[in-house]
Amino acid sequence: MTDLPEWFEPLLTRIRSSEAGDFTRLPTPDGEGYRQSAVLVLFGEDPATGPDVLVLQRADTMRNHAGQPAFPGGAVDPGDADSIACALREAEEEVGLDPSTVEVVATLPTLWIPVSNFLVTPVLAWWRAPHPVGPADPGEVARVERLPIRELVDPEHRLRVRHPSGWIGPAFRIHDMLVWGFTAGVLSTLLELGGWAVEWPTGRVEELPTSGATPVH
């Protein structure tokens, strides 16, 4: 494995003992009948802004999750060897990521999204050779952003949102995006496990805008 930067090591150490319960209150079901998928949680480092994580924003014309920020990823195809292969393939198809520039370091616990019946495996990776990326298909992806960790942990960028269903979860208002749902939940936990999170006003709860009220992740 490529030597990881010093700031990455605490996260990698703690992730080895993490469980699904660290990321969600919903227990991961056993058995068949669930759709398997994977997402790529890709950490990199920019000389100007420091450590960051890659996200994309879905196109407003998408039938599901329109306009919503997310990690690159999707359903496992029959040709995918495993969740890692799925996450890398989806990232290549969605944002033009070169898989050879990525070092996969761990798979996180598989998490259940009941509204879509997906079992999602987040794949944690280090971007050892960053390169320009962007929407490969503008009909699916509106834009791609590298979100600096120092901005994600800034209390001014953190809040919780309330979905019309009553569900309340963490969110980030950053780079003119509202990151919420599954993506924000995973990010929030990783910031804690990495030892990067700082105290923030958890009492700041806002109603999820109607345009963002797609099914809860």
Side-chain angles (χ1 to χ4, degrees), residues 7-202:
W7 58 263
F8 204 114
E9 292 294 346
L11 173 61
L12 187 57
T13 298
R14 295 186 179 112
I15 213 70
R16 293 191 181 104
S17 59
S18 66
E19 301 176 347
D22 295 322
F23 294 86
T24 178
R25 298 185 297 269
L26 300 173
T28 301
D30 296 322
E32 301 179 355
Y34 301 95
R35 304 167 68 189
Q36 302 290 332
S37 67
V39 296
L40 185 67
V41 185
L42 182 60
F43 283 93
E45 186 166 11
D46 184 279
T49 57
D52 56 36
V53 63
L54 184 77
V55 301
L56 56 81
Q57 185 170 22
R58 302 288 181 200
D60 289 335
T61 53
M62 293 287 287
R63 184 176 63 179
N64 296 316
H65 311 299
Q68 193 170 337
F71 299 118
V76 174
D77 280 355
D80 293 327
D82 51 24
S83 296
I84 293 173
C86 171
L88 291 174
R89 173 186 56 75
E90 287 282 348
E92 183 175 13
E93 293 176 357
E94 291 182 323
V95 306
L97 180 72
D98 179 357
S100 70
T101 65
V102 174
E103 187 83 37
V104 173
V105 297
T107 54
L108 307 186
T110 297
L111 309 173
W112 180 41
I113 301 178
V115 69
S116 58
N117 217 26
F118 268 113
L119 292 178
V120 184
T121 302
V123 175
L124 184 66
W126 162 241
W127 203 0
R128 50 183 167 75
H131 62 86
V133 291
D137 181 353
E140 294 188 5
V141 177
R143 62 177 170 141
V144 182
E145 293 281 338
R146 293 176 64 175
L147 303 180
I149 300 301
R150 69 186 188 189
E151 293 184 29
L152 284 168
V153 301
D154 185 338
E156 290 296 317
H157 295 159
R158 303 205 63 176
L159 69 155
R160 294 196 297 159
V161 294
R162 181 185 291 108
H163 188 271
S165 67
W167 171 90
I168 298 176
F172 301 84
R173 198 180 299 281
I174 181 172
H175 289 205
D176 296 321
M177 295 187 296
L178 178 65
V179 184
W180 68 283
F182 174 86
T183 304
V186 171
L187 277 176
S188 182
T189 299
L190 292 179
L191 294 176
E192 293 287 346
L193 292 176
W196 309 318
V198 298
E199 187 174 350
W200 58 283
T202 56

